Amino acid sequence: MSGCCSPGRSGGSQTAAMPSLAADWPGEDDADMALIPAGSFRYGCDRNEGPLADGEGPSRLVEVDAFLIDCCAVTNARFKRFVDATAYATDAERLGWSFV
């Protein structure tokens, strides 16, 4: 299951250094991003709270590939550049509403 609150996998674990994103995102620099290494973590909880479809339970060990994450909240200007470069549409734009 893949969604906003559940993990997804696109391939095997990545143990090599992450490639720079600069080649993929013209004008962007990944120097202000942190590398989160591949590994495992405990996802979800065993309390019977919330809808089952959210994928929040039961607690289970999940393997994730390495990824880059911004060190600070994204600015509106940077998000606009991302939207312009990818034609990304938010849930609110696609569905006409959103919880967020």
Side-chain angles (χ1 to χ4, degrees):
M1 178 166 109
S2 178
C4 75
C5 303
S6 60
R9 291 208 53 173
S10 60
S13 291
Q14 184 171 351
T15 55
M18 290 289 288
S20 172
L21 295 181
D24 296 331
W25 299 99
E28 290 298 320
D29 182 5
D30 59 6
D32 60 344
M33 299 182 90
L35 173 63
I36 307 300
S40 59
F41 73 99
R42 185 139 305 270
Y43 179 83
C45 74
D46 292 320
R47 294 186 313 265
N48 292 324
E49 299 176 0
L52 292 175
D54 282 350
E56 295 178 10
S59 176
R60 64 231 178 244
L61 197 60
V62 176
E63 296 286 328
V64 295
D65 293 335
F67 61 93
L68 292 171
I69 190 167
D70 281 318
C71 293
C72 299
V74 67
T75 64
N76 288 339
R78 191 168 187 173
F79 184 69
K80 182 180 182 327
R81 288 194 302 271
F82 165 76
V83 169
D84 291 346
T86 64
Y88 177 81
T90 65
D91 285 347
E93 292 167 319
R94 286 185 292 107
L95 304 174
W97 70 279
S98 176
F99 286 112
V100 179

